Amino acid sequence: MNKNAWTAICSAVVMIWAAGDVRAQFAKVEDAIKYRQSVMSVLGTHFTRLGAMVRGETPFVREAFEENASLVATLLKLPWEAFQVAGSDKASALRPEALSQKEDFLKLARANQDEVAKLLAAAKAGELSGIRSAFGAAGASCKACHDSYRRK
Ligand code: ASC
């Protein structure tokens, strides 16, 4: 095997190792909490705009709906590993079960991402009744995780 191939393999191994180690992602526990709270705050802002359009509180503009749904889908790629940092349940609303029941937590996270992907597809299709029901399902999948893993 030549030198370039070895370099590529070694870089890939280091990247996989680093990505798998949440301690490598955040210097301090507080950084993980700040990161995920920031993501959830922006996420909530864009999801709330969708809700306002669905409820008719602001005019329904399909392009704006799609743009906000797309941002929600993108933001939902970000926060999950920050919820898995040991000790980060102490100084935040995160219940310790989010760490001790990691598989279930991540299952709800994936379900949420799936529902938002359907909402984005509905936004692209542009049919208001489909958008309404997809929004309801997406909101329910946000709530399912909050009910189990966020302190009241
Ligand atoms: C939001 C927000 C939540 C969810 C949830 C959906 O906009 O801040 O926590 O939607 O209410 O059921």
Side-chain angles (χ1 to χ4, degrees):
M1 209 179 303
N2 68 31
K3 189 161 170 270
N4 285 343
W6 270 116
T7 306
I9 290 168
C10 292
S11 311
V13 168
V14 168
M15 280 190 290
I16 290 164
W17 170 80
D21 183 357
V22 290
R23 287 167 301 177
Q25 308 283 345
F26 301 101
K28 292 179 294 188
V29 168
E30 302 77 57
D31 293 347
I33 295 171
K34 188 177 176 185
Y35 177 89
R36 73 196 187 208
Q37 287 179 345
S38 305
V39 172
M40 297 312 261
S41 171
V42 180
L43 192 51
T45 299
H46 292 286
F47 199 75
T48 299
R49 288 180 193 169
L50 295 177
M53 280 192 256
V54 163
R55 288 186 294 271
E57 294 159 11
T58 58
F60 179 82
V61 179
R62 199 209 61 80
E63 290 77 10
F65 195 94
E66 180 182 333
E67 177 64 14
N68 281 284
S70 174
L71 287 167
V72 169
T74 299
L75 289 161
L76 280 177
K77 295 176 181 174
L78 300 178
W80 313 115
E81 72 188 9
F83 285 109
Q84 290 301 319
V85 173
S88 71
D89 54 315
K90 305 284 191 295
S92 76
L94 188 68
R95 290 183 188 275
E97 290 79 9
L99 288 98
S100 64
Q101 298 167 23
K102 179 182 176 183
E103 290 315 313
D104 182 67
F105 176 85
L106 293 177
K107 193 178 89 182
L108 293 182
R110 278 193 296 274
N112 181 221
Q113 288 172 282
D114 290 347
E115 295 303 336
V116 168
K118 289 183 208 163
L119 177 61
L120 181 55
K124 287 178 177 168
E127 193 63 57
L128 198 50
S129 63
I131 288 170
R132 279 215 179 86
S133 66
F135 178 82
S141 72
C142 300
K143 188 174 184 297
C145 199
H146 296 166
D147 285 351
S148 293
Y149 296 115
R150 186 174 67 178
R151 269 189 268 269
K152 296 285 181 294

